[in-house]
Amino acid sequence: MKTIDPKGKIALVSGANRGIGKAITLELLNKGAAKVYAGARNVETLSELVSLYGNRVVPVQLDVTDDRSIERAADLIEALDILVNNAGIFAIGGILSGAALTSLKDNLDINVWGLIKLSNAVYPQLAKSENSAIINISSLAGLGNMPMAATYSVSKAAVHSITQGMRAELSDKNTLVMGVYPGPIDTEMAANLEMDKDSPSNVAQAIVSGLINGTEDVFPDVMSQQAGNFYLSNPKAVEQEFANFKA
Ligand SMILES: NC(=O)c1ccc[n+]([C@@H]2O[C@H](COP(=O)([O-])OP(=O)(O)OC[C@H]3O[C@@H](n4cnc5c(N)ncnc54)[C@H](OP(=O)(O)O)[C@@H]3O)[C@@H](O)[C@H]2O)c1
């Protein structure tokens, strides 16, 4: 089993300035990570993290839709053990709605192309680590399509498949490839969802425990623990259940 203790390790987190990405950054630092490269489109939004952790937080300007920004970020990173592909958006659109192609493009540009571009850009540094991890934040919506956010579900299903592909490609390396499948979490992204939500810090704790325990598929909150078990035993039932999540 592949495991990794964040103590003394160097991480990169995309979208580290708020929500789940900020919580993961804090949890990695609290569990002894030596340094976190904190990616944000606007590095000024990282000032609280820097004031708390000083030079253990390295602000990195990172827009995953901007090739130059990704290139500059990769050039800055000298060594890397843990990559957290967290940056994402939630563009709403049904498959058969007039907005399908627009919302699908937006979701794919950031949630999928951005993730693949950033992963490839920093993989040379990660490949030098003797014990590493790649963490991809998918969603429960990646395991069954939710019609209220159908094209978002498409993008997160792609993240699920990308995670499986990375795991297969890195099977002979000491790299834990983790997929994370949260349910509704209390961040700006989910502000308009009228549902019970778990906290970003619980998600972050589940992820970091997963690193230490070698968990490949992390279901980090109350809803995802239930749905995750259900998915593993009966994916068709999850499809039918999620079909009720209408706009
Ligand atoms: N919240 C939920 O219920 C939930 C459930 C399942 C999965 N997730 C996933 O968890 C991840 C984090 O979401 P969250 O809930 O923390 O959302 P959030 O609070 O809206 O944060 C999104 C983060 O992504 C960043 N981002 C957006 N576009 C970007 C770009 N082009 N380049 C770089 N960074 C970009 C944002 O930066 P700015 O501040 O610059 O906008 C922000 O840091 C996402 O992948 C999301 O799909 C969330």
Side-chain angles (χ1 to χ4, degrees):
M1 186 200 293
K2 299 174 185 179
T3 64
I4 174 166
D5 186 336
K7 202 159 190 283
K9 297 289 192 294
I10 300 174
L12 166 64
V13 181
S14 66
N17 55 311
R18 60 188 171 98
I20 294 171
K22 183 177 183 183
I24 295 169
T25 302
L26 287 166
E27 186 65 12
L28 287 168
L29 290 161
N30 289 338
K31 289 290 183 305
K35 191 196 289 184
V36 177
Y37 289 103
R41 289 192 289 189
N42 173 1
V43 288
E44 284 170 22
T45 57
L46 297 163
S47 56
E48 188 196 337
L49 282 169
V50 174
S51 69
L52 285 172
Y53 288 92
N55 60 11
R56 288 173 68 204
V57 175
V58 180
V60 179
Q61 198 287 327
L62 179 60
D63 180 337
V64 298
T65 63
D66 177 347
D67 292 353
R68 278 291 299 137
S69 169
I70 291 176
E71 205 179 305
R72 280 195 303 267
D75 286 348
L76 188 86
I77 292 166
E78 288 161 2
L80 186 64
D81 305 297
I82 301 171
L83 167 64
V84 186
N85 282 310
N86 164 77
I89 61 158
F90 182 71
I92 294 174
I95 304 287
L96 298 175
S97 76
L101 293 182
T102 312
S103 68
L104 181 60
K105 183 178 185 316
D106 290 346
N107 282 315
L108 292 180
D109 276 350
I110 294 165
N111 301 347
V112 178
W113 293 113
L115 183 154
I116 291 181
K117 284 179 179 179
L118 180 63
S119 300
N120 276 282
V122 300
Y123 184 65
Q125 287 91 324
L126 192 99
K128 289 183 211 147
S129 169
E130 286 177 4
N131 181 204
S132 57
I134 300 177
I135 300 166
N136 295 330
I137 312 296
S138 177
S139 167
L140 275 186
L143 300 178
N145 197 291
M146 296 187 182
M148 67 176 184
T151 60
Y152 172 79
S153 290
V154 171
S155 73
K156 291 298 182 175
V159 174
H160 175 51
S161 183
I162 287 164
T163 304
Q164 293 176 330
M166 286 179 169
R167 195 174 289 136
E169 285 183 35
L170 300 177
S171 61
D172 61 348
K173 304 267 192 291
N174 190 16
T175 305
L176 173 64
V177 179
M178 176 190 288
V180 184
Y181 303 90
I185 307 302
D186 194 7
T187 67
E188 281 179 46
M189 180 176 284
N192 294 327
L193 296 183
E194 301 284 333
M195 304 168 98
D196 287 342
K197 294 169 206 166
D198 212 324
S199 69
S201 59
N202 280 351
V203 174
Q205 283 167 25
I207 290 170
V208 173
S209 297
L211 290 176
I212 293 164
N213 296 323
T215 314
E216 292 184 347
D217 305 312
V218 172
F219 297 100
D221 57 279
V222 176
M223 180 174 166
S224 69
Q225 275 154 23
Q226 290 167 352
N229 284 329
F230 205 29
Y231 173 78
L232 295 174
S233 63
N234 191 345
K236 191 70 188 170
V238 167
E239 177 190 329
Q240 289 162 345
E241 180 64 28
F242 285 5
N244 297 317
F245 289 95
K246 297 220 161 74

